Amino acid sequence: MVITNEVDLPEFSALNVPEVNLSTTTLMSAAPYLGKACESINNEFMLCRQELKDPRQCLELGKQVTACTMDFFRRLKKNCLQEFNQYANCIDKSSGDYSFRHCRKTQSAFDYCMSDKLCMVRPGFGYFCRARIHSSSRPQPAGTPCPCHPVVPDATPSLPDCKPRPPARFGSRYYWMTE
């Protein structure tokens, strides 16, 4: 990517945050609970990225997302580590494509622990696909159209001429079906 002198890049110290170094199965096992626990800050971060179209202006929100994730895994480790490890290990070892279907018993034990000790209930199927309104405390950036009145481009000025097509050279494609 080529940039010019006018582009202000953030200092390395502004980008330096502790990373969440976890495996695929660990993240897959905790994903519904993590998504629910950090839902508001994730939505705020994604709204910032969508509205401003410049990730440099959303660095602080990104740090808050990482901090929320780290805090969630600390609470998980403190309260439900054994059940979580059994569930993640089952997902890792039971199939080659990280399928959940072989691990419903360990999932149930993990869900019970999360409900009992952290008061978190697994979100229902399709929870993250539902449309929800996120109310933000940030002011709407200037120049962003109101989502209630989207800007719709003008219709196509004219359609191409619809000339009748000549008959097929070699007959109908349904020739073999009519006999």
Side-chain angles (χ1 to χ4, degrees), residues 23-133:
S23 67
T24 301
T25 54
T26 303
L27 290 172
M28 286 178 64
S29 303
Y33 294 106
L34 176 61
K36 186 72 172 146
C38 300
E39 182 177 18
S40 64
I41 191 64
N42 282 334
N43 288 346
E44 187 69 27
F45 175 71
M46 294 308 294
L47 181 66
C48 176
R49 291 281 309 264
Q50 183 70 28
E51 285 182 345
L52 301 178
K53 295 185 179 20
D54 185 8
R56 294 173 295 173
Q57 296 178 5
C58 304
L59 287 176
E60 288 304 315
L61 287 172
K63 289 179 183 180
Q64 291 176 15
V65 169
T66 303
C68 181
T69 302
M70 297 294 273
D71 181 56
F72 170 78
F73 278 108
R74 282 187 197 105
R75 288 185 292 138
L76 180 74
K77 184 178 178 181
K78 182 179 177 184
N79 293 298
C80 296
L81 181 63
Q82 182 180 1
E83 293 86 352
F84 178 70
N85 283 341
Q86 287 176 348
Y87 181 45
N89 190 37
C90 179
I91 291 173
D92 190 29
K93 304 281 168 72
S94 65
S95 67
D97 63 348
Y98 302 121
S99 176
F100 294 100
R101 64 186 160 141
H102 304 291
C103 305
R104 295 302 180 194
K105 290 182 182 177
T106 54
Q107 177 185 344
S108 176
F110 175 56
D111 289 345
Y112 178 75
C113 180
M114 290 295 287
S115 173
D116 188 41
K117 295 183 180 176
L118 291 176
C119 299
M120 293 183 75
V121 178
R122 178 182 285 269
F125 184 75
Y127 173 80
F128 296 106
C129 296
R130 292 188 202 123
R132 286 184 287 283
I133 296 174

Side-chain angles (χ1 to χ4, degrees), residues 1-14:
M1 181 170 115
V2 179
I3 57 174
T4 62
N5 287 336
E6 291 83 33
V7 176
D8 290 328
L9 294 177
E11 295 293 324
F12 183 73
S13 59

Side-chain angles (χ1 to χ4, degrees), residues 159-167:
L159 295 175
D161 294 328
C162 294
K163 298 177 183 173
R165 292 185 176 185

